[in-house]
Structures are given as structure tokens and as C-alpha cells.
Amino acid sequence: MSQTQMMKGILDGCLLAIINGKEVYGYEMAERLSEYGFESISEGTIYPLLMRMEREKLVTSVRKASTAGPKRKYYSLTKEGEEALNAFLKRWRHLETSVNSVIKQETNGRNRENGET
Amino acid sequence: MEKLKLSDKSRKFLDDLNVYLFSSGKKEEEIKDIVEELEAHLYEAELDGKPIEQIVGESPKQYMAMISKEMNIDYTAWAKYIPIIVFGVMAFMIIGDVLEGPLSYSLLQIIGTIVTCLLFIFGVFITFRYVSYHDLSKKVEFMMIILPISISMLLFILIQIVNRIYETPSVEIGGLGSILLGIIALILLIGMSLWGKTAVMLVVLIALHLPAILLSLTTLQEETQLISSIVITYIIIGLYFYGTFKKMKKEEKSV
């Protein structure tokens, strides 16, 4: 798996998590992602992902007028979306534990060898 | 649709995306959906003072391709457009020819016309796709779009020339049949104009034939008739485009 592919899978999961809370529209999602530290990702990246998730019936959308400005497309999770989110969380926690233990064990060892603390 | 106030750069990106997706054969409603969504996003982003690169990334092309990949190709629309364009061109031809007398088409003319129409459609679509995907100056864009149009024009002329040299089996249609076919062609053109909400085909049709018919009723010399009918044709078409252009400008300003 290339780095970008891995990143996409993670972004998918993060979007599902953000949508899970409450109905959100694209711009809001992008803002939230950036607040969480994903500011290096261009905001538009979310739309192809949302399109695919909508096609796979993980999310549904509804268009609503906003008080000022353009109509917004609000997304919410479907039952399949919730399942996909749970599956992602499980995969992520497993990955997180594995990566953390690798880092903990292996880099500590290297730091000792190099005489660093 | 009322257009939002956007920077020229964002507007150009949305226009390019629209043309790119359309010429890639994507579904019209899906295109409208994503373009509207991105328009809303760009609008809010610009209010917050973000540059367009922060939304579409460093390469708008790559981003356009990413979106395109997530969309289905609309084969039913293609199945609709192609016959409409082919029949439209044939209807145009038939009406012009009926005015000259009973119809007679050779196999070469019929097949040649269909093939040229298909080449024209694909040529235009591929060019539009290329132009929207690449950053070109307006001049180069214009030249590129002219290319498939002039190639198919040349092909049409070539068919007529080859048709005189080589004889292929031909279909002869009697007087009554010709008139009937002419009426069907006319109804088809009117229907297409209503569907496309544009009178351009009918205006060109009238501009091409009506002056000559009316002038033939006068006692003017044949040469004078010919020259004035050509001049009148150009004047009518020119006035129509000028009027349409002015109307478009006015609409743009009122937004």
C-alpha cells in the first residue's frame, strides 16, 4: 500500500467519524479536519471521497438552503456507514497498538545504541 | 441559476471542471451536483481569505481527474446525443436539397455523412476535454476547437467531390416522398430547437434558403439575385449572433 493510499483510508475513517456526530456539509468537514491537524491536505480532497462513500451507500446527503450564500449539501451516516466506521476504528486501534509497540521497542533500542536518551 | 460571486480563478476552475466532466461523458446531474458543491466550498473559502490552491491543491488537473474517476459514464446520454446530431445534420441537408427538387442520395453520401458526423462529435468532445484539462491561452483554445470543425467541413466537401467522380448506388426519392421527407426533417429541426432552447439552427436555415426563394420571385437578374442572397444570408446570421451576444452580455451584467 502506498503512502497516499494509506492516507486515503485514514481520511475515509476520519470523515466517517466527523459525519457520525451530526449532519455536516463539505466546508465544515474540511475546517474540522484542518483544526484536527490535517491542514496540509487540500480541502477539495474530501469530495471525491464523499462521492465514493455516497455511491457505496455509507453516507446520504440532502441539500439545504443556508441563511446567507449558497445551498449546502449535508451528509449523514447510513447504517452501513456506522458499520464501516466501527470496522475502521477496530483496524485503526489494532494498527495504532502495533505501530506504537514497534516504535517503543525498536527506537528505544536504537537510541541506546547511539548513546542518545 | 444565480451565480455566486467568485474570483476569476475559481470561476475558471469550475468552468473547466464542468467542460472536462461533460466531455468525459459523465452524467449531467452528477456534474451539476459536484460543481455546485465545489462552488459553495470555494465561495466560503474565499470569504475566509483562502487561496484556491488550498482547496484544489497544487494541480487542478490532478484534482479534476480524481473527481472524474469517482463518476459513472452516462452511456444513455451518448446514445441520445449521437443520433440527435446525426439526424440534425441530415435534416439540415434534406431541407436544403428538397428546395432544389426531388431528393437523390448516393450510398457514399449517406455513409459519408454519418461517418463525418461521428468524427465531428468525437473530435469536438476530445478537443473540449483536452482544452479544459490543459492550461492554454484563449487564442490556442479557440484554434484547437476550430480544428475538428474545419476538418469535418473539409470532409463534407470531399464527400461531394468524390461523389461526382465515383458512382455508387443511389437512392432516388420521388416528388411527393421528397416533400414528405422535407416536412419530417423540418419538424425534427423544430423539435430539436425547442429541446435545445435555441433558435440558431432555424435562423441559419432561414438565412440560407429564404433570401434565395424570395429573390427568385423578383425580376432581378440572376447574378444580382445570387449575390444579394449571399449578402442577406450573412447579414441575417451576423445580426442573430450579434443579438445573442448582446443579450448574453446583459445577462452577465445583471447577475
Side-chain angles (χ1 to χ4, degrees), chain B residues 187-201:
Chain B
I187 291 171
L188 200 77
L189 273 189
I190 292 173
M192 279 170 68
S193 300
L194 289 175
W195 178 73
K197 294 198 186 74
T198 167
V200 62
M201 284 185 293

Side-chain angles (χ1 to χ4, degrees), chain B residues 5 24 30 72 102 124 126 138 146 148 150 233:
Chain B
K5 213 175 138 28
S24 302
E30 281 183 33
N72 300 315
V124 167
I126 290 166
K138 278 266 166 266
I146 288 288
S150 30
T233 298

Side-chain angles (χ1 to χ4, degrees), chain B residues 21-37:
Chain B
L21 294 176
F22 184 71
S23 51
S24 302
K26 306 297 182 180
K27 275 206 173 91
E28 234 177 309
E29 310 101 77
E30 281 183 33
I31 296 174
K32 207 175 146 236
D33 235 36
I34 183 64
V35 170
E36 259 179 35
E37 199 174 18

Side-chain angles (χ1 to χ4, degrees), chain A residues 8 25-28 30-31 34 39 41-52 54-55 61 63 68-73 75, chain B residues 4 30 32-34 36-46 48 50 53-58 63 66-72:
Chain A
K8 262 189 201 161
Y25 67 100
Y27 192 72
E28 206 180 347
E31 294 260 273
S34 151
E39 61 282 281
I41 292 166
S42 49
E43 294 180 3
T45 311
I46 61 171
Y47 292 106
L49 302 179
L50 287 170
M51 285 163 95
R52 202 192 59 241
E54 192 163 20
R55 201 175 59 233
S61 65
R63 221 170 261 283
K71 271 188 183 175
R72 290 166 177 168
K73 200 172 165 188
Y75 293 87
Chain B
L4 298 168
E30 281 183 33
K32 207 175 146 236
D33 235 36
I34 183 64
E36 259 179 35
E37 199 174 18
L38 278 172
E39 187 183 25
H41 191 120
L42 285 166
Y43 176 76
E44 281 198 66
E46 283 185 0
D48 286 344
K50 294 177 189 166
E53 289 79 15
Q54 201 172 326
I55 291 95
V56 303
E58 287 305 319
Y63 185 54
M66 244 165 86
I67 290 175
S68 176
K69 241 175 63 189
E70 297 300 336
M71 291 168 79
N72 300 315

